[in-house]
Amino acid sequence: NANAGEENCQVVTEVYLPLQADIGRIRQTALEAAQVSRHVFINKPVVVLVTQENVGQRILLKLKVTAYVNDLRNEFLFQSEITEVLTKEFASFYSDTDPL
C-alpha cells in the first residue's frame, strides 16, 4: 500500500490524441480540468506530461495527467472525468473516417 494509510492516492489518467493536436492547449485544458475536479486533492501537485507513442500503424500523442484524488473511492470517477473533458474539448481532431 503506497499511501501509507492516507485516504488520498495518486492517479494517472492516459488519453491519446492525434499528432496535429495543439500541445499547449492540451496541457492547459488537462491541467485546468484536474485542478477544478471535485475529486482532486488540492494540496498535492498535478502533473501533465505529453509523449508520442506508436499505436498500431499510427503515432499518437499520449497525454498523462497525474494527480491525487481526495478519496481512494474516487480514482475511477476522476479518470473518467478527465477523459470526458479532454475528449469533448478535442473532438474536432477526430473524423468519422479516421477512428483511433
Side-chain angles (χ1 to χ4, degrees):
N1 187 349
N3 317 21
E6 291 188 41
E7 290 195 15
N8 61 75
C9 74
Q10 187 180 58
V11 175
V12 177
T13 304
E14 297 178 345
V15 177
Y16 291 89
L17 294 166
L19 281 177
Q20 67 269 30
D22 180 337
I23 293 174
R25 187 170 151 210
I26 291 169
R27 292 176 65 82
Q28 188 62 36
T29 301
L31 184 61
E32 289 173 4
Q35 289 174 334
V36 301
S37 171
R38 67 179 185 199
H39 306 296
V40 76
F41 186 70
I42 59 173
N43 293 332
K44 302 252 182 155
V46 173
V47 177
V48 178
L49 300 173
V50 180
T51 59
Q52 291 183 5
E53 187 169 306
N54 289 322
V55 178
Q57 298 289 326
R58 300 179 66 185
I59 299 174
L60 299 174
L61 292 177
K62 180 179 181 179
L63 179 74
K64 289 175 105 174
V65 180
T66 304
Y68 288 80
V69 292
N70 53 17
D71 189 302
L72 296 169
R73 296 170 290 189
N74 294 332
E75 174 181 358
F76 299 113
L77 293 171
F78 177 78
Q79 287 177 322
S80 178
E81 180 181 357
I82 297 301
T83 301
E84 288 175 33
V85 167
L86 293 173
T87 300
K88 286 177 187 174
E89 180 73 18
F90 297 103
S92 64
F93 289 114
Y94 302 104
S95 69
D96 295 330
T97 59
D98 192 22
L100 293 179

